[in-house]
Amino acid sequence: MAAKEWLADRQAELLPVPYFHVVFTLPGPIADIAYQNTAIVYDLLLKTAAETLITIAADPKHLGARIGLTAVLHTWGSALTHHPHAHIIVPGGGLSPKPAPAEAGGQHWIACRPRFFLSVDVLSRLFRRLFLERLTTAYQAGQLEFFADQAGLAQPARFKAYVAALRKIEWVVYAKRPFGGPGAVLAYLSRYTHRIAIANSRLVAFDGQRVTFKWKDYRAKGDARYKLMTLDADEFIRRFLIHVLPDGFHRIRHYGLFANANRAANIALARRLLGAPDPSPSSGDSAGIENPHQDSEWNVCPCCGGRMIIIETFEPGCQPRQWPIPSIGLDSS
């Protein structure tokens, strides 16, 4: 329910323009540092990714506009491995720079090119430079800690060489084509806002010692990518706990025009420049929350807020035909 309520609050903030989905991924050696310094490195990931987008978008050679964005931290792969990256939703355009008081004319909306937002190569290089600069600053300030196989990085010479090697590799920044509209943006973002590392629906079996769950192998194609994995219970719990964030850490953040301080005013200005009417104060979404059974496309679970799918309806006191299948242990070899 928290996810759906959060989405309802965001509904009024959507603009009638194409939206883009940009993903910033930390390379493996940085993810290893993040494993032992989660709060600092995750914070750097979100802030640096946002600054990269805002800086490149403001450059007249690229877009020349002030943009807004919403970033969501995601730390896991499908197999519960440690894979920190940031999902960012951003409108395809922004406000023109603020005119000086003595200049004539007002602001206007600057739209990006059709089906293209910003160069991922340019974003990647700036993201790499900014992140490594801030990581080095945090290291020099004594904010990073290193243990076990990372203990050697406590020596300045080792850390300097470690960072130098990372400047020579390509960092992955991925931008998807525009979504099908603002509604599709919310539908996608809802899968990442109030979600934990693994949903109950992916758990298949537990025999008292091992846990079997479904995962997706993105290297495979078609149905071959959907697989089962079985782990010892302690290893499964270890992987799950990797993705528990530090106390007070905000994994959903708004930057630029969407920063909390001036978000409402900036969105109202953007809507006016786009000639878009203000959203209705009351929508069908709120009704759907009160009585989710009225909308067959969104049956909300009262516990987790996810969509419930009706498998069978049976009379009180009767035994369902689809009786649960007993859990069985599966060989992971």
Side-chain angles (χ1 to χ4, degrees):
M1 294 302 294
K4 189 166 178 62
E5 291 173 2
W6 185 87
L7 292 176
D9 292 338
R10 303 284 79 79
Q11 182 71 46
E13 300 172 355
L14 287 174
L15 301 174
V17 298
Y19 276 70
F20 288 80
H21 174 212
V22 187
V23 182
F24 289 80
T25 302
L26 292 180
I30 295 295
D32 293 339
I33 294 178
Y35 185 82
Q36 300 177 356
N37 300 273
T38 54
I40 294 175
V41 178
Y42 291 167
D43 184 66
L44 283 179
L45 168 59
L46 291 173
K47 289 181 177 178
T48 306
E51 182 177 347
T52 298
L53 281 168
I54 291 171
T55 300
I56 299 301
D59 189 339
K61 296 179 181 178
H62 296 280
L63 184 61
R66 298 187 298 124
I67 64 170
L69 57 96
T70 297
V72 181
L73 175 68
H74 200 201
T75 64
W76 56 83
S78 183
L80 297 183
T81 51
H82 189 223
H83 180 58
H85 53 288
H87 290 268
I88 296 180
I89 304 297
V90 55
L95 300 179
S96 61
K98 290 183 178 180
E103 295 179 358
Q107 288 187 280
H108 60 279
W109 179 264
I110 299 177
C112 66
R113 285 185 282 167
R115 309 177 74 84
F116 179 83
F117 183 50
L118 297 170
S119 168
V120 293
D121 291 336
V122 175
L123 292 172
S124 174
R125 294 187 183 101
L126 181 60
F127 175 62
R128 177 181 61 189
R129 178 173 67 82
L130 292 178
F131 188 94
L132 291 179
E133 287 177 355
R134 275 105 195 242
L135 185 69
T136 300
T137 300
Y139 177 85
Q140 294 172 345
Q143 297 175 345
L144 301 180
E145 297 180 314
F146 303 99
F147 308 97
D149 57 347
Q150 297 280 315
L153 294 179
Q155 303 175 14
R158 287 279 300 276
F159 182 82
K160 183 177 180 180
Y162 195 84
V163 170
L166 291 169
R167 293 193 178 97
K168 300 178 182 178
I169 65 174
E170 294 294 332
W171 289 35
V172 178
V173 176
Y174 177 70
K176 288 187 177 181
R177 295 165 62 183
F179 288 91
V185 175
L186 282 183
Y188 182 86
L189 191 57
S190 67
R191 304 213 302 265
Y192 293 95
T193 51
H194 299 72
R195 179 177 165 187
I196 59 173
I198 187 169
N200 287 341
S201 59
R202 290 176 56 197
L203 299 176
V204 176
F206 176 57
D207 62 5
Q209 296 181 338
R210 297 185 300 175
V211 179
T212 299
F213 62 96
K214 294 180 284 187
W215 71 290
K216 187 184 297 184
D217 184 356
Y218 290 96
R219 297 169 296 181
K221 296 182 179 180
D223 293 339
R225 63 171 46 185
Y226 300 99
K227 301 179 179 181
L228 294 179
M229 178 176 292
T230 298
L231 300 174
D232 290 339
D234 56 352
E235 172 60 13
F236 177 83
I237 294 173
R238 186 194 71 83
R239 293 195 187 190
F240 180 82
L241 292 179
I242 289 174
H243 311 293
V244 176
L245 297 177
D247 289 343
F249 190 92
H250 296 281
R251 64 191 303 260
I252 307 170
R253 302 186 185 184
H254 307 278
Y255 295 95
L257 298 178
F258 297 165
N260 290 333
N262 300 304
R263 181 166 65 220
N266 288 332
I267 290 175
L269 174 60
R271 297 185 70 88
R272 180 172 61 82
L273 295 176
L274 288 166
D278 292 334
S280 174
S282 61
S283 65
D285 290 340
S286 60
I289 296 175
E290 295 176 2
N291 189 1
H293 298 289
Q294 292 181 353
D295 185 356
S296 60
E297 294 300 316
W298 186 272
N299 295 316
V300 180
C301 172
C303 296
C304 70
R307 178 187 174 192
M308 296 191 298
I309 299 175
I310 298 176
I311 299 176
E312 180 184 353
T313 302
F314 55 94
E315 297 295 330
C318 298
Q319 180 173 309
R321 293 188 300 273
Q322 303 293 335
W323 197 252
I325 300 175
S327 299
I328 58 174
L330 297 177
D331 189 357
S332 61
S333 60

